[in-house]
Amino acid sequence: MNSLEIRALRDDAATIAMLTDLLIETVAAGGSVSFMHPLSAEDAREFWRKSLAAAARGERAVLGLWQGEVLAGTVTLLLDFPPNQPHRAEIAKLMTGRNHRGKGIATALMRAAENLAVDKGRTLLVLDTASEEGAAGLYEKLGFTLAGEIPDFALKPQGGLTGTLIYWKRIGAAADRLS
């Protein structure tokens, strides 16, 4: 088995190509990650170029889990918030390649994103996931608390509405105070 490594992703042609394929695959499989099926390669590439440019500016971090030379999954940590919210970060775009599911990759990516948020002085993580076929079970296993559900929040990639579950978790110093 190839070694696993999590690292911040950079804007290079090979990484963009793998991220593009992963996003298209996720949307085609029904993943609710802000896009509709069919997703064009051009639109997916443009999304990742903008996302990685924002990461280069420090507005977010885009982490990838590599199995050898293969990008097995990714997660984005949003860091750019208004002045009254410097203590929080948001998890977005957690995706694992179909051939890599069930191997702990999403859990490893979530832990890495949480650790990075703590390193950046954040004390609250938030995220949302689709009510139908989302990753609620994973987030609850990782200690996130359900704040509630918003019905009919977004369209599913293949059409039809789905609700969204909103989660939060205290991390770092905030979590330590509660221990």
Side-chain angles (χ1 to χ4, degrees):
M1 173 132 177
N2 294 328
S3 64
L4 300 178
E5 178 187 8
I6 296 176
R7 63 180 184 258
L9 299 180
R10 306 249 183 259
D11 186 350
D12 63 68
T15 300
I16 291 285
M18 286 185 270
L19 285 166
T20 295
D21 290 346
L22 179 58
L23 182 56
I24 291 170
E25 175 186 292
T26 300
V27 171
S32 183
V33 289
S34 304
F35 294 94
M36 299 299 291
H37 179 72
L39 174 60
S40 73
E42 180 180 332
D43 288 344
R45 275 191 301 275
E46 182 64 17
F47 167 77
W48 286 116
R49 284 188 187 113
K50 287 180 179 178
S51 186
L52 293 172
R57 293 188 303 269
E59 298 166 2
R60 65 182 59 194
V62 181
L63 302 177
L65 188 144
W66 297 86
Q67 185 172 18
E69 298 298 315
V70 176
L71 181 65
T74 186
V75 67
T76 298
L77 182 67
L78 303 176
L79 299 164
D80 188 28
F81 289 95
N84 70 336
Q85 300 170 40
H87 60 289
R88 78 175 181 93
E90 183 173 344
I91 299 290
K93 304 292 185 281
L94 176 65
M95 295 179 270
T96 302
R98 185 176 306 181
N99 294 334
H100 302 282
R101 294 188 182 150
K103 299 177 183 177
I105 288 168
T107 297
L109 283 164
M110 287 294 295
R111 288 189 176 132
E114 181 176 332
N115 290 337
L116 180 58
V118 169
D119 289 347
K120 295 198 173 285
R122 307 307 164 102
T123 58
L124 181 69
L125 269 181
V126 296
L127 60 85
D128 66 81
T129 190
S131 301
E132 299 173 33
E133 301 180 27
L138 169 68
Y139 300 133
E140 290 172 10
K141 285 179 188 175
L142 293 173
F144 282 82
T145 300
L146 177 64
E149 178 177 2
I150 302 171
D152 298 339
F153 187 79
L155 290 172
K156 296 184 249 181
Q158 313 280 347
L161 291 168
T162 185
T164 293
L165 302 172
I166 309 293
Y167 283 90
W168 62 272
K169 181 179 182 180
R170 286 191 174 102
I171 58 173
D176 294 344
R177 286 194 306 268
L178 297 175
S179 301

